[in-house]
Amino acid sequence: MRLSEQELRWAQKDVFNAGNDLVSAGLRLQGTEYEKAYQRVYKALNALNRKLIKDINKK
């Protein structure tokens, strides 16, 4: 299924906003047993955001 440019933009905006909340959680999780899991989620969300931006810029 292909998304329209507008749908890609909405998805990227949602991912970006989720990243802000995730960073806040990351600050609380530093030095805990959850930090590595947090880092995996952060890296995956960051990669998704970059891919969405790349695809938006192609259009």
Side-chain angles (χ1 to χ4, degrees):
M1 177 177 124
R2 295 291 295 164
L3 297 176
S4 70
E5 183 177 351
Q6 186 59 51
E7 290 170 320
L8 280 172
R9 289 181 185 279
W10 286 333
Q12 190 277 326
K13 182 179 177 183
D14 290 340
V15 168
F16 179 82
N17 289 336
N20 288 334
D21 290 338
L22 189 61
V23 167
S24 179
L27 292 172
R28 291 180 182 86
L29 297 173
Q30 281 182 334
T32 70
E33 62 190 271
Y34 307 104
E35 186 174 10
K36 285 186 181 182
Y38 160 78
Q39 289 173 347
R40 285 192 304 272
V41 172
Y42 178 82
K43 287 178 184 178
L45 193 64
N46 197 13
L48 174 58
N49 190 50
R50 284 193 311 268
K51 181 164 177 40
L52 288 168
I53 290 170
K54 179 181 171 188
D55 287 349
I56 288 168
N57 288 332
K58 283 183 185 177
K59 296 198 178 235

